[in-house]
Amino acid sequence: MLARLLGLVLALSWLGLSAATAAGGPSKDILRGAWTLEMDRYDRPWLTFNDVNHKTVFRFGCGTHYELDAVYPGQAPKQDHTEATITIGNGKTQMDFAGFTYAAPENFPPDTSWFNQADLGHPDLGEDVWGELETQFLDLLSSGQPLTVSAEGKSYVLPPVKASRWRARFQKVC
C-alpha cells in the first residue's frame, strides 16, 4: 500500500512538472500529447504536435511556402530574430534546419522559445532538388519512429507521427 501511495505521489509530481525546463526546453511530459493534421481557414494543412495542455510543441505546414515551427530546445534567445539551427532526427536519419528563434507565442508552452524556419531553409532551390528535399523531410516525419529535436546539446523527443492519412492529405494540397 505504501509503495502504491509513493508511486502515486511520484506520478503526480511528474505530471506537475512545468511545461518548460529551466534551460528553456519543453519538459519530458510532452510525449503525452497528440499529433493532428488540421486545415487552416485557407484550406492549408498543418501537421501539429500539441502537448497535454493543447500548446503547440511542433508544427509543419504549407501555403505560399513551407513553414516549420518548434519549441527551441537550446538557450532562450537574448533578442527576437536570433539565428539558430535545430536538428530533427528519427534514429536512422536526421536533418538540420537553419532559422530564427523568438519568444514563444501564446499558443506555445510557457517559458519556451520558438524556432521558426521557412522553405526547409532553401527557398531558392530548383523544383527537382526541392522535391527531393521535401520527400526526405516527409520521409523523416513519417518513419514511424520517435523524433528527436535538438540544439545546443539539448533535446526533446516527440512520439512517432500518428495522424490519420496525414502525408497523403498534406501532399495533395502542397
Side-chain angles (χ1 to χ4, degrees), residues 141-169:
L141 294 177
S142 63
S143 69
Q145 301 297 315
L147 299 173
T148 301
V149 179
S150 58
E152 300 180 30
K154 295 178 176 36
S155 64
Y156 58 91
V157 179
L158 299 173
V161 175
K162 291 187 180 174
S164 179
R165 298 182 15 244
W166 76 267
R167 186 166 180 170
R169 293 167 60 202

mmCIF file of all heavy atoms in Angstrom, residues 141-169:
data_model
loop_
_atom_site.group_PDB
_atom_site.id
_atom_site.type_symbol
_atom_site.label_atom_id
_atom_site.label_comp_id
_atom_site.label_asym_id
_atom_site.label_seq_id
_atom_site.Cartn_x
_atom_site.Cartn_y
_atom_site.Cartn_z
ATOM 1 N N LEU A 141 9.562 12.462 -41.140
ATOM 2 C CA LEU A 141 8.386 12.595 -40.273
ATOM 3 C C LEU A 141 7.525 11.338 -40.265
ATOM 4 O O LEU A 141 6.959 10.979 -39.241
ATOM 5 C CB LEU A 141 7.533 13.790 -40.703
ATOM 6 C CG LEU A 141 8.138 15.177 -40.544
ATOM 7 C CD1 LEU A 141 7.177 16.230 -41.097
ATOM 8 C CD2 LEU A 141 8.493 15.469 -39.106
ATOM 9 N N SER A 142 7.425 10.655 -41.395
ATOM 10 C CA SER A 142 6.520 9.505 -41.495
ATOM 11 C C SER A 142 7.215 8.168 -41.254
ATOM 12 O O SER A 142 6.651 7.121 -41.548
ATOM 13 C CB SER A 142 5.829 9.498 -42.862
ATOM 14 O OG SER A 142 6.772 9.334 -43.896
ATOM 15 N N SER A 143 8.386 8.186 -40.657
ATOM 16 C CA SER A 143 9.172 6.964 -40.448
ATOM 17 C C SER A 143 8.559 6.000 -39.434
ATOM 18 O O SER A 143 8.958 4.843 -39.366
ATOM 19 C CB SER A 143 10.584 7.322 -39.981
ATOM 20 O OG SER A 143 10.536 7.859 -38.659
ATOM 21 N N GLY A 144 7.622 6.458 -38.632
ATOM 22 C CA GLY A 144 7.067 5.614 -37.574
ATOM 23 C C GLY A 144 7.965 5.559 -36.347
ATOM 24 O O GLY A 144 7.696 4.816 -35.409
ATOM 25 N N GLN A 145 9.014 6.370 -36.334
ATOM 26 C CA GLN A 145 9.969 6.424 -35.226
ATOM 27 C C GLN A 145 9.770 7.709 -34.422
ATOM 28 O O GLN A 145 9.312 8.716 -34.979
ATOM 29 C CB GLN A 145 11.407 6.387 -35.757
ATOM 30 C CG GLN A 145 11.744 5.167 -36.572
ATOM 31 C CD GLN A 145 11.645 3.902 -35.739
ATOM 32 O OE1 GLN A 145 12.119 3.844 -34.613
ATOM 33 N NE2 GLN A 145 10.999 2.889 -36.288
ATOM 34 N N PRO A 146 10.147 7.708 -33.140
ATOM 35 C CA PRO A 146 10.124 8.962 -32.377
ATOM 36 C C PRO A 146 11.043 9.988 -33.036
ATOM 37 O O PRO A 146 12.031 9.628 -33.679
ATOM 38 C CB PRO A 146 10.666 8.561 -31.001
ATOM 39 C CG PRO A 146 10.433 7.089 -30.920
ATOM 40 C CD PRO A 146 10.571 6.573 -32.321
ATOM 41 N N LEU A 147 10.717 11.247 -32.883
ATOM 42 C CA LEU A 147 11.504 12.336 -33.457
ATOM 43 C C LEU A 147 12.241 13.070 -32.348
ATOM 44 O O LEU A 147 11.623 13.483 -31.360
ATOM 45 C CB LEU A 147 10.597 13.316 -34.203
ATOM 46 C CG LEU A 147 9.806 12.746 -35.370
ATOM 47 C CD1 LEU A 147 8.831 13.789 -35.907
ATOM 48 C CD2 LEU A 147 10.740 12.257 -36.458
ATOM 49 N N THR A 148 13.533 13.232 -32.521
ATOM 50 C CA THR A 148 14.342 13.988 -31.571
ATOM 51 C C THR A 148 14.631 15.356 -32.168
ATOM 52 O O THR A 148 15.139 15.457 -33.276
ATOM 53 C CB THR A 148 15.666 13.272 -31.259
ATOM 54 O OG1 THR A 148 15.366 11.973 -30.725
ATOM 55 C CG2 THR A 148 16.500 14.059 -30.261
ATOM 56 N N VAL A 149 14.288 16.400 -31.423
ATOM 57 C CA VAL A 149 14.559 17.776 -31.825
ATOM 58 C C VAL A 149 15.672 18.270 -30.915
ATOM 59 O O VAL A 149 15.533 18.242 -29.687
ATOM 60 C CB VAL A 149 13.297 18.661 -31.688
ATOM 61 C CG1 VAL A 149 13.597 20.092 -32.097
ATOM 62 C CG2 VAL A 149 12.144 18.083 -32.496
ATOM 63 N N SER A 150 16.798 18.691 -31.514
ATOM 64 C CA SER A 150 17.937 19.081 -30.687
ATOM 65 C C SER A 150 18.587 20.363 -31.179
ATOM 66 O O SER A 150 18.507 20.717 -32.356
ATOM 67 C CB SER A 150 18.969 17.949 -30.643
ATOM 68 O OG SER A 150 19.398 17.621 -31.943
ATOM 69 N N ALA A 151 19.256 21.037 -30.232
ATOM 70 C CA ALA A 151 20.029 22.253 -30.491
ATOM 71 C C ALA A 151 20.879 22.530 -29.269
ATOM 72 O O ALA A 151 20.446 22.307 -28.137
ATOM 73 C CB ALA A 151 19.118 23.439 -30.774
ATOM 74 N N GLU A 152 22.091 22.984 -29.501
ATOM 75 C CA GLU A 152 22.986 23.403 -28.413
ATOM 76 C C GLU A 152 23.178 22.321 -27.353
ATOM 77 O O GLU A 152 23.283 22.608 -26.166
ATOM 78 C CB GLU A 152 22.470 24.676 -27.747
ATOM 79 C CG GLU A 152 22.354 25.864 -28.669
ATOM 80 C CD GLU A 152 21.844 27.105 -27.941
ATOM 81 O OE1 GLU A 152 22.097 27.258 -26.730
ATOM 82 O OE2 GLU A 152 21.191 27.918 -28.611
ATOM 83 N N GLY A 153 23.184 21.054 -27.755
ATOM 84 C CA GLY A 153 23.401 19.966 -26.809
ATOM 85 C C GLY A 153 22.192 19.603 -25.961
ATOM 86 O O GLY A 153 22.290 18.769 -25.071
ATOM 87 N N LYS A 154 21.042 20.207 -26.230
ATOM 88 C CA LYS A 154 19.807 19.889 -25.511
ATOM 89 C C LYS A 154 18.819 19.314 -26.520
ATOM 90 O O LYS A 154 18.879 19.616 -27.709
ATOM 91 C CB LYS A 154 19.237 21.132 -24.852
ATOM 92 C CG LYS A 154 20.132 21.704 -23.759
ATOM 93 C CD LYS A 154 19.528 22.954 -23.195
ATOM 94 C CE LYS A 154 20.255 23.557 -22.044
ATOM 95 N NZ LYS A 154 21.663 23.520 -22.009
ATOM 96 N N SER A 155 17.889 18.499 -26.029
ATOM 97 C CA SER A 155 16.934 17.897 -26.953
ATOM 98 C C SER A 155 15.659 17.495 -26.242
ATOM 99 O O SER A 155 15.606 17.443 -25.011
ATOM 100 C CB SER A 155 17.549 16.679 -27.635
ATOM 101 O OG SER A 155 17.824 15.672 -26.684
ATOM 102 N N TYR A 156 14.658 17.198 -27.035
ATOM 103 C CA TYR A 156 13.432 16.577 -26.541
ATOM 104 C C TYR A 156 12.971 15.594 -27.607
ATOM 105 O O TYR A 156 13.363 15.681 -28.771
ATOM 106 C CB TYR A 156 12.350 17.592 -26.183
ATOM 107 C CG TYR A 156 11.905 18.521 -27.293
ATOM 108 C CD1 TYR A 156 10.839 18.178 -28.131
ATOM 109 C CD2 TYR A 156 12.524 19.751 -27.486
ATOM 110 C CE1 TYR A 156 10.415 19.036 -29.126
ATOM 111 C CE2 TYR A 156 12.107 20.614 -28.482
ATOM 112 C CZ TYR A 156 11.057 20.252 -29.294
ATOM 113 O OH TYR A 156 10.634 21.104 -30.285
ATOM 114 N N VAL A 157 12.155 14.648 -27.191
ATOM 115 C CA VAL A 157 11.704 13.593 -28.087
ATOM 116 C C VAL A 157 10.189 13.639 -28.212
ATOM 117 O O VAL A 157 9.476 13.693 -27.216
ATOM 118 C CB VAL A 157 12.145 12.199 -27.579
ATOM 119 C CG1 VAL A 157 11.645 11.104 -28.506
ATOM 120 C CG2 VAL A 157 13.661 12.139 -27.440
ATOM 121 N N LEU A 158 9.733 13.617 -29.455
ATOM 122 C CA LEU A 158 8.302 13.548 -29.743
ATOM 123 C C LEU A 158 7.965 12.125 -30.162
ATOM 124 O O LEU A 158 8.787 11.449 -30.772
ATOM 125 C CB LEU A 158 7.950 14.506 -30.883
ATOM 126 C CG LEU A 158 8.229 15.980 -30.620
ATOM 127 C CD1 LEU A 158 7.995 16.796 -31.887
ATOM 128 C CD2 LEU A 158 7.346 16.488 -29.498
ATOM 129 N N PRO A 159 6.763 11.675 -29.882
ATOM 130 C CA PRO A 159 6.380 10.325 -30.311
ATOM 131 C C PRO A 159 6.278 10.275 -31.839
ATOM 132 O O PRO A 159 6.209 11.320 -32.498
ATOM 133 C CB PRO A 159 5.015 10.122 -29.652
ATOM 134 C CG PRO A 159 4.491 11.494 -29.439
ATOM 135 C CD PRO A 159 5.685 12.371 -29.190
ATOM 136 N N PRO A 160 6.242 9.080 -32.395
ATOM 137 C CA PRO A 160 6.073 8.967 -33.850
ATOM 138 C C PRO A 160 4.815 9.702 -34.304
ATOM 139 O O PRO A 160 3.821 9.755 -33.583
ATOM 140 C CB PRO A 160 5.923 7.463 -34.081
ATOM 141 C CG PRO A 160 6.550 6.822 -32.890
ATOM 142 C CD PRO A 160 6.329 7.757 -31.748
ATOM 143 N N VAL A 161 4.880 10.271 -35.504
ATOM 144 C CA VAL A 161 3.725 10.977 -36.048
ATOM 145 C C VAL A 161 2.598 9.979 -36.282
ATOM 146 O O VAL A 161 2.774 8.979 -36.969
ATOM 147 C CB VAL A 161 4.076 11.696 -37.368
ATOM 148 C CG1 VAL A 161 2.830 12.314 -37.980
ATOM 149 C CG2 VAL A 161 5.154 12.745 -37.138
ATOM 150 N N LYS A 162 1.468 10.276 -35.670
ATOM 151 C CA LYS A 162 0.270 9.450 -35.843
ATOM 152 C C LYS A 162 -0.908 10.391 -36.031
ATOM 153 O O LYS A 162 -1.494 10.877 -35.072
ATOM 154 C CB LYS A 162 0.048 8.550 -34.633
ATOM 155 C CG LYS A 162 1.086 7.467 -34.513
ATOM 156 C CD LYS A 162 0.758 6.493 -33.417
ATOM 157 C CE LYS A 162 1.865 5.440 -33.365
ATOM 158 N NZ LYS A 162 1.719 4.554 -32.260
ATOM 159 N N ALA A 163 -1.196 10.658 -37.287
ATOM 160 C CA ALA A 163 -2.358 11.464 -37.652
ATOM 161 C C ALA A 163 -2.911 10.815 -38.916
ATOM 162 O O ALA A 163 -2.173 10.583 -39.868
ATOM 163 C CB ALA A 163 -1.963 12.913 -37.909
ATOM 164 N N SER A 164 -4.165 10.527 -38.903
ATOM 165 C CA SER A 164 -4.810 9.777 -39.979
ATOM 166 C C SER A 164 -4.492 10.353 -41.361
ATOM 167 O O SER A 164 -4.762 11.521 -41.625
ATOM 168 C CB SER A 164 -6.318 9.764 -39.752
ATOM 169 O OG SER A 164 -6.958 9.074 -40.794
ATOM 170 N N ARG A 165 -3.903 9.526 -42.206
ATOM 171 C CA ARG A 165 -3.591 9.843 -43.602
ATOM 172 C C ARG A 165 -2.942 11.206 -43.784
ATOM 173 O O ARG A 165 -3.132 11.874 -44.804
ATOM 174 C CB ARG A 165 -4.868 9.744 -44.443
ATOM 175 C CG ARG A 165 -5.483 8.380 -44.462
ATOM 176 C CD ARG A 165 -6.729 8.238 -45.333
ATOM 177 N NE ARG A 165 -6.963 9.298 -46.272
ATOM 178 C CZ ARG A 165 -8.018 10.121 -46.245
ATOM 179 N NH1 ARG A 165 -8.920 10.000 -45.306
ATOM 180 N NH2 ARG A 165 -8.172 11.050 -47.160
ATOM 181 N N TRP A 166 -2.147 11.651 -42.824
ATOM 182 C CA TRP A 166 -1.611 12.999 -42.870
ATOM 183 C C TRP A 166 -0.765 13.249 -44.108
ATOM 184 O O TRP A 166 -0.869 14.304 -44.728
ATOM 185 C CB TRP A 166 -0.815 13.329 -41.595
ATOM 186 C CG TRP A 166 0.543 12.705 -41.551
ATOM 187 C CD1 TRP A 166 0.879 11.512 -40.998
ATOM 188 C CD2 TRP A 166 1.742 13.241 -42.095
ATOM 189 N NE1 TRP A 166 2.207 11.260 -41.166
ATOM 190 C CE2 TRP A 166 2.776 12.305 -41.834
ATOM 191 C CE3 TRP A 166 2.073 14.402 -42.777
ATOM 192 C CZ2 TRP A 166 4.089 12.512 -42.231
ATOM 193 C CZ3 TRP A 166 3.381 14.605 -43.168
ATOM 194 C CH2 TRP A 166 4.371 13.674 -42.898
ATOM 195 N N ARG A 167 0.083 12.300 -44.468
ATOM 196 C CA ARG A 167 1.011 12.563 -45.585
ATOM 197 C C ARG A 167 0.260 12.691 -46.909
ATOM 198 O O ARG A 167 0.534 13.606 -47.693
ATOM 199 C CB ARG A 167 2.079 11.481 -45.663
ATOM 200 C CG ARG A 167 3.128 11.796 -46.714
ATOM 201 C CD ARG A 167 4.334 10.938 -46.588
ATOM 202 N NE ARG A 167 5.300 11.290 -47.616
ATOM 203 C CZ ARG A 167 6.537 10.847 -47.642
ATOM 204 N NH1 ARG A 167 6.969 10.028 -46.710
ATOM 205 N NH2 ARG A 167 7.358 11.210 -48.613
ATOM 206 N N ALA A 168 -0.664 11.803 -47.186
ATOM 207 C CA ALA A 168 -1.422 11.877 -48.434
ATOM 208 C C ALA A 168 -2.219 13.186 -48.506
ATOM 209 O O ALA A 168 -2.251 13.848 -49.548
ATOM 210 C CB ALA A 168 -2.357 10.678 -48.547
ATOM 211 N N ARG A 169 -2.836 13.538 -47.398
ATOM 212 C CA ARG A 169 -3.617 14.772 -47.360
ATOM 213 C C ARG A 169 -2.720 15.989 -47.508
ATOM 214 O O ARG A 169 -3.067 16.956 -48.192
ATOM 215 C CB ARG A 169 -4.431 14.832 -46.069
ATOM 216 C CG ARG A 169 -5.522 13.745 -46.042
ATOM 217 C CD ARG A 169 -6.145 13.541 -44.678
ATOM 218 N NE ARG A 169 -6.781 14.750 -44.174
ATOM 219 C CZ ARG A 169 -7.012 14.968 -42.887
ATOM 220 N NH1 ARG A 169 -6.685 14.053 -41.984
ATOM 221 N NH2 ARG A 169 -7.604 16.051 -42.492
#
